[in-house]
Amino acid sequence: AQSVSQHNHHVILSEAASLELGCNYSYGGTVNLFWYVQYPGQHLQLLLKYFSGDPLVKGIKGFEAEFIKSKFSFNLRKPSVQWSDTAEYFCAVNAPGNTPLVFGKGTRLSVIA
Amino acid sequence: GAGVSQSPSNKVTEKGKDVELRCDPISGHTALYWYRQRLGQGLEFLIYFQGNSAPDKSGLPSDRFSAERTGESVSTLTIQRTQQEDSAVYLCASSLGLGTGELFFGEGSRLTVL
């Protein structure tokens, strides 16, 4: 069974600091990888996704993630965070085809001025 | 509507009562999912529907949980004889098809069992 580990439960950063949120998954085959974000009071929405090709994917709002197959990782990065990035971030994985997404427990990001 | 709609947004019930949660997916989306999010936990898959295929019920935690979907429209998640551990936010999502990856989520139904 697939599983997703997000190492950080809560991250607190100052504005303009760089961000990296860890995500590791356990699945030996081909996977699709995703980051979802939930801003306070809003519903979950897709931040970025990787299906194949360039392992460095860019998403909305300046976020990017790098798929490193050998490490089973898909870490989320942003060079300079803003207060508006305060949210909960979820990594998710599924095997291509008819399988539902498996989510990590989420990382809460708090950006302070 | 433009997005996934869930109702009620909040439900407080007494232990042992039955509850029904409703999800109205985005029009044209053939796949519909239910997830549960307990406090401090990630999203726990419950069930999904894909078109007219038999639903994947592998994530339902017990036989007190059931779900139905009418064609490719509304879905209802029913929890019978609720227990306190059922307290959670129940999230519904839809997508154009299973495996496409981009799920569109509703705002969830927060269930509190006293």
Side-chain angles (χ1 to χ4, degrees):
Chain A
Q2 300 157 38
S3 66
V4 178
S5 297
Q6 292 185 242
H7 317 297
N8 311 103
H9 178 62
H10 188 192
V11 173
I12 302 173
L13 294 174
S14 298
E15 277 192 312
S18 64
L19 169 73
E20 181 160 3
L21 301 181
C23 172
N24 286 88
Y25 64 92
S26 65
Y27 184 70
T30 303
V31 292
N32 299 323
L33 296 154
F34 310 84
W35 277 96
Y36 279 79
V37 60
Q38 187 170 28
Y39 297 103
Q42 296 187 26
H43 58 270
L44 276 158
Q45 56 188 287
L46 182 67
L47 197 56
L48 49 78
K49 63 185 177 184
Y50 171 79
F51 280 14
S52 64
D54 189 344
L56 183 63
V57 293
K58 298 199 182 290
I60 59 172
K61 303 187 181 185
F63 285 91
E64 65 180 30
E66 185 175 12
F67 170 49
I68 303 180
K69 188 175 181 179
S70 61
K71 295 184 177 180
F72 297 88
S73 70
F74 190 57
N75 292 354
L76 181 70
R77 300 196 294 248
K78 185 171 183 178
S80 176
V81 295
Q82 301 173 313
W83 178 80
S84 58
D85 294 325
T86 294
E88 189 144 17
Y89 294 81
F90 293 89
C91 184
V93 62
N94 77 337
N98 295 341
T99 61
L101 285 186
V102 175
F103 286 83
K105 291 187 176 183
T107 297
R108 186 155 63 102
L109 172 66
S110 299
V111 180
I112 56 178
Chain B
V4 176
S5 177
Q6 291 189 245
S7 62
S9 55
N10 276 289
K11 175 72 176 178
V12 180
T13 191
E14 294 178 346
K15 178 180 171 181
K17 301 283 189 183
D18 297 351
V19 297
E20 279 191 357
L21 307 176
R22 176 189 167 105
C23 173
D24 203 341
I26 293 173
S27 178
H29 280 193
T30 61
L32 185 147
Y33 314 77
W34 284 99
Y35 284 85
R36 175 170 72 175
Q37 186 177 22
R38 290 167 162 167
L39 191 64
Q41 301 296 311
L43 277 71
E44 178 187 357
F45 165 72
L46 298 177
I47 186 171
Y48 78 76
F49 298 87
Q50 168 61 41
N52 294 320
S53 302
D56 179 347
K57 305 179 181 180
S58 60
L60 294 177
S62 78
D63 59 8
R64 296 187 295 105
F65 288 72
S66 63
E68 293 182 346
R69 186 180 186 194
T70 307
E72 292 186 354
S73 61
V74 170
S75 175
T76 302
L77 177 69
T78 302
I79 309 172
Q80 295 178 309
R81 305 180 303 281
T82 53
Q83 303 294 313
Q84 288 184 331
E85 62 263 28
D86 299 334
S87 295
V89 176
Y90 289 82
L91 292 166
C92 177
S94 69
S95 67
L96 283 170
L98 194 58
T100 62
E102 182 162 8
L103 272 58
F104 294 81
F105 282 87
E107 296 197 2
S109 292
R110 182 178 297 278
L111 174 65
T112 303
V113 182
L114 301 176

